[in-house]
């Protein structure tokens, strides 16, 4: 973000509390962005926005009380001054086109990687910087082109995974290892993610092969030696 600009306040709206927590954790990792709140229904989103001003809403389409698209239209009707990025498993063309018609700034299809969502957030940050620098009296064609170019900036491409592996699960395991203060065993990762030990082990090996985690063998005590994993990638 440009020096002196306030952090982008983000509301995360997703019916699944676990997914909402992951999305909120992703947002927190991007410099210049701050999570204002997480809610799990359209009614709760409207109630939150009545009392809190936010800049950006990450909006799921599959909500328990009304579709995300209906909420998107409601926000515009009520004059809520916030941009919306759809973050949803809905991928049919009709839903995507309707989101665009009703003013969604971007559209992210689940499952996705942190890098992919960060690309969308970076595009939004670029749009804010461009708008902040635009003259109040009127924009030139060059400024208009920059504004629309920033709004549609392509996101970073998600990392490829072997067939049968979930991007969301890979990111979940990566997040646990990344934020841990100490090395973790596969069993500890399994407990923290809610996965089976075998599944956690499988994804840890993927992260090791990608160079994102480092593995060492711990000897001593009774029983078999234990493999421990520690984050070895960049501080994202």
């Amino acid at each position: 973000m440009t020096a002196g600009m306030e952090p982008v306040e983000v509301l995360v709206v997703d019916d699944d509390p676990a997914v909402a927590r992951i999305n909120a954790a992703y947002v927190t990792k991007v410099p210049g962005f701050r999570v204002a709140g997480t809610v799990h229904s359209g009614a709760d989103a409207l109630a939150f926005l009545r009392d809190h001003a936010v800049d950006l809403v990450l909006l799921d389409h599959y909500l328990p009380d009304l579709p995300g698209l209906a909420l998107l239209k409601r926000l515009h009707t009520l004059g809520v001054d916030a941009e919306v990025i759809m973050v949803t498993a809905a991928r049919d063309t009709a839903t995507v086109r309707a989101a665009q018609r009703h003013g969604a700034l971007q559209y992210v299809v689940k499952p996705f990687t942190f890098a992919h969502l960060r690309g969308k957030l970076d595009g939004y940050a670029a749009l804010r910087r461009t708008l902040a620098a635009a003259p109040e009296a009127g924009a030139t064609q060059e400024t208009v082109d920059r504004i629309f170019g920033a709004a549609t900036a392509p996101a970073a491409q998600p990392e490829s995974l072997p067939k049968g592996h979930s991007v969301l699960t890979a990111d979940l395991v990566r997040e646990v290892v990344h934020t841990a203060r100490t090395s973790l065993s596969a069993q500890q990762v399994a407990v923290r993610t809610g996965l089976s030990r075998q599944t956690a082990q499988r994804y840890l090996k993927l992260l090791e092969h990608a160079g994102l985690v480092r593995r060492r063998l711990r000897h001593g005590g009774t029983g078999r030696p234990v493999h421990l994993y520690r984050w070895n990638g960049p501080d994202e």
Side-chain angles (χ1 to χ4, degrees):
M1 301 295 294
T2 302
M5 291 187 69
E6 292 293 324
V8 177
E9 299 287 345
V10 182
L11 174 64
V12 177
V13 185
D14 197 289
D15 71 312
D16 188 328
V19 173
R21 285 194 297 271
I22 293 172
N23 292 350
Y26 283 175
V27 171
T28 302
K29 289 166 62 177
V30 181
F33 287 79
R34 182 166 59 198
V35 176
T38 60
V39 296
H40 311 301
S41 70
D44 287 344
L46 290 170
F48 186 94
L49 291 168
R50 278 196 296 267
D51 298 326
H52 304 83
V54 304
D55 303 298
L56 182 65
V57 179
L58 301 188
L59 179 59
D60 188 15
H61 179 57
Y62 297 119
L63 299 175
D65 50 352
L66 78 165
L69 287 181
L71 178 58
L72 176 60
K73 290 188 286 186
R74 185 84 60 85
L75 295 182
H76 285 291
T77 300
L78 296 175
V80 174
D81 187 20
E83 299 290 353
V84 174
I85 295 179
M86 299 296 295
V87 181
T88 177
R91 60 181 66 215
D92 59 283
T93 304
T95 300
V96 175
R97 292 189 64 188
Q100 184 182 47
R101 285 198 305 271
H102 294 305
L105 187 67
Q106 289 283 2
Y107 200 104
V108 179
V109 178
K110 298 178 183 177
F112 54 88
T113 63
F114 167 66
H116 190 79
L117 179 62
R118 178 167 186 168
K120 301 297 187 184
L121 297 180
D122 285 343
Y124 173 72
L127 174 61
R128 277 171 59 94
R129 289 193 298 269
T130 301
L131 289 172
E136 289 285 341
T140 65
Q141 183 64 54
E142 181 182 359
T143 302
V144 171
D145 290 343
R146 284 202 305 269
I147 290 171
F148 277 87
T152 58
Q157 292 300 312
E159 301 91 339
S160 59
L161 288 175
K163 186 176 180 180
H165 288 75
S166 162
V167 172
L168 189 60
T169 302
D171 274 346
L172 178 60
V173 173
R174 177 167 55 183
E175 182 70 18
V176 166
V177 180
H178 184 205
T179 57
R181 296 181 180 274
T182 61
S183 299
L184 299 175
S185 67
Q187 181 59 38
Q188 289 171 315
V189 172
V191 170
R192 297 189 186 194
T193 58
L195 303 170
S196 69
R197 191 193 67 78
Q198 292 81 1
T199 299
Q201 181 78 55
R202 188 154 48 96
Y203 281 88
L204 284 166
K205 287 182 178 179
L206 281 177
L207 296 177
E208 182 188 2
H209 291 157
L212 295 175
V213 301
R214 182 176 65 253
R215 176 169 57 97
R216 67 179 177 86
L217 195 60
R218 184 181 67 189
H219 297 276
T222 59
R224 298 166 55 185
V226 176
H227 289 287
L228 296 177
Y229 298 85
R230 192 178 186 91
W231 180 252
N232 192 47
D235 290 328
E236 297 171 314

